[in-house]
Amino acid sequence: MAQQRTGTESTKRVAVLSDAHLTPPGHPEHATRLAQFGEALRAAQGADVDLILMPGDMTDNGCDAEFQELAEITRHVAIPVCFAPGNHEVGDKKLPTGLVPSAERIEAYERAMGPSFSAVNVAGVRLVTVNATLLGSGLALERDQWRMLEEEATTATALRRVLMLHYPLFLEDPEEPGGTYWTIEPEPRRRLLQLLDAGGFQLVVTGHLHQPLLRHWNGTPLVGAPALAFGLPPATMPEGWLLVELAATGMCRCSTHVVGDASTRRFPSLEQD
């Protein structure tokens, strides 16, 4: 249960389903993860949402069998469904330790799922999707993505502008150091935060942490969804999805929803920070 401000006029209801980690048939977790994903999809549709966002790690390995199952499940959903790639689809971000993103995995993702970054009008919002693994990668596609973001930030729209990407921008402080697995690195983070201000973004949606997160940047809610596959810390954090209600004014209300067995686990309260 989280609330930044309230607002009802022309409110958009957005379901955020992240980190389902769907596996190929035969994997020991295949049935459980598929069931939890299906439960969340049904719940989101029953909640009368306008749009379903999936900010990455919907598959465990980014292989063809996983992409095919994901496509088969979501193609029957009447509500628009939009994806951002996660590190389990396209590889981990570049780190000072020498880890380098995989151009081959990004190409495989785009063959299966379409562009890994885009800016589109959908369900009454302007949705800007970012391939977070590209940020700071030095790959040729990164230049194209920054160009798209810079053009977007200078283009007016009457729609609510929403950014979706896998990694959170930061955990506690926009000046926190990088070099970790969990967030965008400091240099691309600073650049993204500047573009959020310039483009008047009203919401940022992420995943990756396997637990819910609510932060703000100059009034913009930065909302992280819990995971559908498994929560972190293990056996403590439940699995689930996020409902975001975004008013035309930018006022935002969020609520967490559990899937699977939640008899002994509860989400922490998401309060305004």
Side-chain angles (χ1 to χ4, degrees):
M1 286 68 66
Q3 181 174 344
Q4 182 193 4
R5 292 179 294 271
T6 60
T8 57
E9 183 180 357
S10 302
T11 296
K12 291 294 178 183
R13 293 170 61 84
V14 180
V16 187
L17 280 59
S18 191
D19 295 271
H21 289 269
L22 296 178
T23 64
H27 187 282
E29 292 295 322
H30 178 259
T32 298
R33 294 182 185 181
L34 189 61
Q36 290 174 177
F37 183 34
E39 181 182 340
L41 271 176
R42 291 189 295 273
Q45 293 173 85
D48 192 29
V49 300
D50 301 289
L51 179 63
I52 297 174
L53 299 182
M54 299 189 179
D57 284 2
M58 301 310 297
T59 69
D60 207 35
N61 305 287
C63 68
D64 288 343
E66 293 167 344
F67 286 140
Q68 288 169 8
E69 185 165 55
L70 177 61
E72 178 62 25
I73 295 167
T74 55
R75 75 163 50 100
H76 301 294
V77 178
I79 299 161
V81 180
C82 300
F83 304 91
N87 57 300
H88 275 256
E89 279 91 28
V90 298
D92 294 310
K93 66 175 182 175
K94 184 176 181 180
L95 283 171
T97 55
L99 190 65
V100 177
S102 168
E104 292 76 17
R105 291 190 67 181
I106 294 172
E107 290 171 4
Y109 174 89
E110 294 194 333
R111 285 195 300 270
M113 303 295 292
S116 63
F117 57 89
S118 63
V120 298
N121 296 339
V122 58
V125 303
R126 179 67 173 173
L127 178 65
V128 181
T129 299
V130 163
N131 179 346
T133 290
L134 282 175
L135 298 172
S137 68
L139 296 175
L141 273 179
E142 182 185 9
R143 294 191 295 273
D144 297 335
Q145 181 169 261
W146 281 121
R147 189 177 303 113
M148 177 201 75
L149 286 165
E150 288 161 356
E151 291 175 357
E152 186 65 25
T154 58
T155 302
T157 178
L159 303 178
R160 278 153 282 191
R161 188 174 268 135
V162 175
L163 181 70
M164 175 171 63
L165 71 167
H166 185 59
Y167 293 104
L169 278 77
F170 56 87
L171 297 182
E172 300 294 341
D173 187 327
E175 296 300 323
E176 66 194 21
T180 75
Y181 176 77
W182 297 110
T183 62
I184 301 297
E185 290 297 290
E187 183 177 351
R189 178 197 304 154
R190 285 190 289 270
R191 194 169 174 183
L192 269 179
L193 290 173
Q194 290 171 355
L195 290 172
L196 286 183
D197 289 340
F201 283 83
Q202 292 177 290
L203 177 68
V204 177
V205 171
T206 63
H208 190 58
L209 296 182
H210 288 235
Q211 59 180 258
L213 179 74
L214 175 63
R215 297 291 181 264
H216 297 91
W217 169 255
N218 289 349
T220 300
L222 314 179
V223 176
L228 290 170
F230 54 92
L232 292 176
T236 301
M237 188 67 59
E239 295 74 48
W241 60 283
L242 195 70
L243 175 63
V244 181
E245 299 172 87
L246 182 63
T249 58
M251 297 175 184
C252 176
R253 183 192 299 271
C254 305
S255 57
T256 50
H257 299 266
V258 171
V259 297
D261 180 10
S263 59
T264 60
R265 294 175 294 156
R266 295 291 185 269
F267 285 117
S269 178
L270 283 175
E271 301 294 343
Q272 183 173 352
D273 62 341

